[in-house]
Amino acid sequence: MTEPLPQDDFLAALRDVGARKYHDKHRFHVLMNEGHLTPAQLKVWALNRFYYQRSIPAKDCALMAKMPMPLDRRRWRQRLLDQDGTGPEDEGGIEKWLRLVEACGGTRDEAWRAEGLLPGVRFAVDAYVHFVRDEPWVIGVASSLTELFSPALMSLRIAAFEQHYPWVAAEGLTYFRGRPTRANKDSDHAIELVLAHCTTRALQRQAIGALDFKCDLLWAQLDAIYAHCVGT
Amino acid sequence: MTEPLPQDDFLAALRDVGARKYHDKHRFHVLMNEGHLTPAQLKVWALNRFYYQRSIPAKDCALMAKMPMPLDRRRWRQRLLDQDGTGPEDEGGIEKWLRLVEACGGTRDEAWRAEGLLPGVRFAVDAYVHFVRDEPWVIGVASSLTELFSPALMSLRIAAFEQHYPWVAAEGLTYFRGRPTRANKDSDHAIELVLAHCTTRALQRQAIGALDFKCDLLWAQLDAIYAHCVGT
């Protein structure tokens, strides 16, 4: 009864969380992907999601602060390089998201000043950083596994923007174009770590719970954005 | 009275902390540099200080987790790369310190298992990580300024080892040889950040206090090692 799940069952349980709860199915994303959002609504979304983007390095640094082994950190820190960039050739995910904000009619300054940041978005994002800071590091790793489900959403989003929102400059979509490759690499590493370190049933349960929690906090951001943009 | 100190006075106050309190003057370092330590004592020192070395990335990640701007993190993360390494060509400071442990008669395994880690060393090192995690990020930066004082100690140490402890393989000293250049680069960046962000007298005082605290925790590690190796 307290035996750990076989690896395949554990992986299936993780994938099942995404199948049930990943925010690709949120009604705000449905509106977005069907082309029903106004420029003002897309701007609210881009500006609010910037708070998530800018907080990702805080989450990854908090996680690395607890990872005991240099070789694990060495590999995980690629996420920090991806998000913060390495130089003029590779300016990083945060900068790319700022381009999206601009393409949606916002300014970099509004983004950094968190103007119009909705409380529900702030709470959800901060909850993520705090979770990773406070939980065992491998549970923080498990919470990153939404990247298993993001590539499909990114592809759908690029197609939807090209079709329905041609006024958003192609430049603004750079962030999404690079994500699937990175997300696959990142989730491969995360799966490796979770399988290697969640070796008890209790840890497996915690890992599944962490992914559930992560889906909740992604969903809650869209709830807040939907309520503000569309109504409740 | 609450005006911020002019930059030169602020810098002088920071340097004065090091002049008074940096651990180069600790009696354990005096014994070391005069060639009076036994192999067993050097081994205790190398193993215990490894706990400090392996905790440095935790400190730097905790600090970066609070740094708001990508460009500041981008520059600060060089410390993470220095300590964790980048590949076979550059294996990083932690690995270099493990070579010192081996050259002093210890094993990597003893080092990672923290065998013989003295409580006073553990408390001091953990206090550093907690301080940086909990204080404003620029105050964490200020606490790193002991690097202003380390190059002289590193040079003295290399000479002392070559003269007095020829049984320690040259390979074991690699960590020290690379430090002065890196410490100078790191402290230049830290000084820039502290001057740019500690713009009130209160923050200047906190920064000076952080450096004082850092000197204390370096000193306390040697107190614990001295007490164990030599007596009180």
Side-chain angles (χ1 to χ4, degrees):
Chain A
M1 188 177 171
T2 51
E3 280 291 291
L5 296 171
Q7 273 198 5
D8 285 351
D9 295 356
F10 180 33
L11 281 174
L14 289 165
R15 287 186 182 280
D16 177 59
V17 175
R20 287 184 293 108
K21 302 190 56 173
Y22 189 56
H23 66 169
D24 57 337
K25 288 172 290 296
H26 192 284
R27 55 188 173 172
F28 192 83
H29 273 151
V30 175
L31 288 179
M32 179 185 291
N33 292 334
E34 292 181 349
H36 300 307
L37 296 183
T38 65
Q41 289 168 330
L42 274 183
K43 180 183 159 188
V44 167
W45 169 77
L47 275 170
N48 270 276
R49 282 284 301 193
F50 178 70
Y51 187 69
Y52 179 76
Q53 292 300 330
R54 72 186 277 190
S55 301
I56 292 300
K59 181 271 292 183
D60 285 317
C61 288
L63 200 156
M64 287 191 290
K66 301 176 88 174
M67 271 183 154
M69 297 309 288
L71 288 181
D72 290 333
R73 279 194 301 268
R74 226 196 243 186
R75 206 164 153 200
W76 198 270
R77 79 182 179 214
Q78 186 56 45
R79 293 163 185 254
L80 188 59
L81 275 66
D82 287 345
Q83 196 70 340
D84 283 343
T86 55
E89 295 297 296
D90 167 20
E91 55 197 357
I94 291 176
E95 180 59 31
K96 286 179 193 149
W97 197 276
L98 286 169
R99 302 264 200 77
L100 174 70
V101 166
E102 291 177 315
C104 290
T107 67
R108 311 167 76 80
D109 196 44
E110 273 175 287
W112 282 115
R113 279 187 289 116
E115 206 168 89
L117 176 59
L118 297 166
V121 173
R122 182 191 290 275
F123 300 150
V125 172
D126 291 353
Y128 189 25
V129 177
H130 298 157
F131 179 86
V132 170
R133 188 192 62 197
D134 298 336
E135 293 294 314
W137 68 267
V138 73
I139 300 306
V141 170
S143 73
S144 79
L145 283 173
T146 43
E147 284 178 304
L148 285 170
F149 320 116
S150 70
L153 179 59
M154 292 301 107
S155 307
L156 193 62
R157 184 175 294 164
I158 291 167
F161 270 74
E162 287 174 343
Q163 187 187 344
H164 303 298
Y165 313 105
W167 55 271
V168 175
E171 171 84 342
L173 305 181
T174 319
Y175 179 84
F176 307 126
R177 293 190 201 286
R179 278 314 299 165
T181 312
R182 284 174 169 167
N184 286 332
K185 235 187 267 178
D186 287 350
S187 61
D188 284 352
H189 183 213
I191 283 284
E192 255 183 57
L193 290 169
V194 166
L195 291 180
H197 294 276
C198 293
T199 50
T200 66
R201 185 67 178 268
L203 277 167
Q204 289 177 333
R205 270 200 211 102
Q206 261 189 284
I208 294 163
L211 187 51
D212 195 272
F213 162 81
K214 171 72 174 299
C215 287
D216 283 344
L217 72 87
L218 293 176
W219 195 275
Q221 290 176 61
L222 291 184
D223 277 352
I225 293 169
Y226 186 94
H228 178 81
C229 289
V230 186
T232 44
Chain B
M1 189 179 168
T2 52
E3 280 292 291
L5 295 171
Q7 274 198 3
D8 284 351
D9 293 356
F10 180 34
L11 281 174
L14 289 165
R15 287 187 180 280
D16 178 59
V17 175
R20 287 184 292 107
K21 301 190 59 174
Y22 189 56
H23 66 170
D24 58 335
K25 289 173 288 297
H26 192 284
R27 54 188 175 171
F28 192 83
H29 274 150
V30 174
L31 288 179
M32 179 186 291
N33 292 334
E34 291 181 348
H36 299 307
L37 295 183
T38 65
Q41 289 168 330
L42 274 184
K43 180 183 159 188
V44 167
W45 168 78
L47 276 171
N48 271 274
R49 283 283 299 192
F50 178 70
Y51 187 69
Y52 179 77
Q53 293 299 330
R54 70 186 278 189
S55 301
I56 291 299
K59 180 271 292 182
D60 286 316
C61 288
L63 201 155
M64 286 191 290
K66 302 176 87 174
M67 272 184 154
M69 297 308 289
L71 288 180
D72 290 333
R73 279 194 301 268
R74 225 195 244 187
R75 205 165 154 199
W76 197 270
R77 79 183 178 212
Q78 186 56 46
R79 293 165 185 252
L80 188 59
L81 275 66
D82 287 346
Q83 197 69 342
D84 283 343
T86 55
E89 295 296 296
D90 166 21
E91 54 197 356
I94 290 176
E95 180 59 32
K96 286 180 194 147
W97 196 276
L98 286 169
R99 301 265 200 77
L100 174 70
V101 165
E102 292 177 315
C104 290
T107 68
R108 311 166 76 82
D109 197 45
E110 274 175 287
W112 281 115
R113 279 187 290 116
E115 204 166 272
L117 176 59
L118 298 166
V121 173
R122 183 191 291 273
F123 301 151
V125 172
D126 290 352
Y128 188 25
V129 177
H130 299 158
F131 179 86
V132 170
R133 188 191 62 197
D134 298 337
E135 294 294 315
W137 68 268
V138 73
I139 300 306
V141 169
S143 73
S144 79
L145 284 172
T146 42
E147 284 178 306
L148 285 170
F149 321 117
S150 71
L153 179 58
M154 291 301 108
S155 306
L156 193 61
R157 184 175 295 164
I158 291 166
F161 269 74
E162 286 174 344
Q163 188 186 344
H164 303 298
Y165 312 106
W167 55 272
V168 174
E171 172 85 341
L173 305 180
T174 319
Y175 179 84
F176 308 126
R177 292 191 202 285
R179 277 314 300 166
T181 311
R182 285 173 167 167
N184 286 332
K185 235 188 267 179
D186 288 349
S187 62
D188 284 352
H189 183 212
I191 283 284
E192 255 183 56
L193 289 169
V194 166
L195 291 180
H197 294 275
C198 294
T199 49
T200 65
R201 185 64 178 268
L203 276 168
Q204 289 178 333
R205 271 200 210 102
Q206 261 189 286
I208 294 162
L211 188 51
D212 195 272
F213 163 80
K214 171 72 175 297
C215 286
D216 283 344
L217 72 86
L218 293 175
W219 195 274
Q221 289 175 63
L222 291 183
D223 277 351
I225 294 168
Y226 186 95
H228 177 82
C229 289
V230 186
T232 45

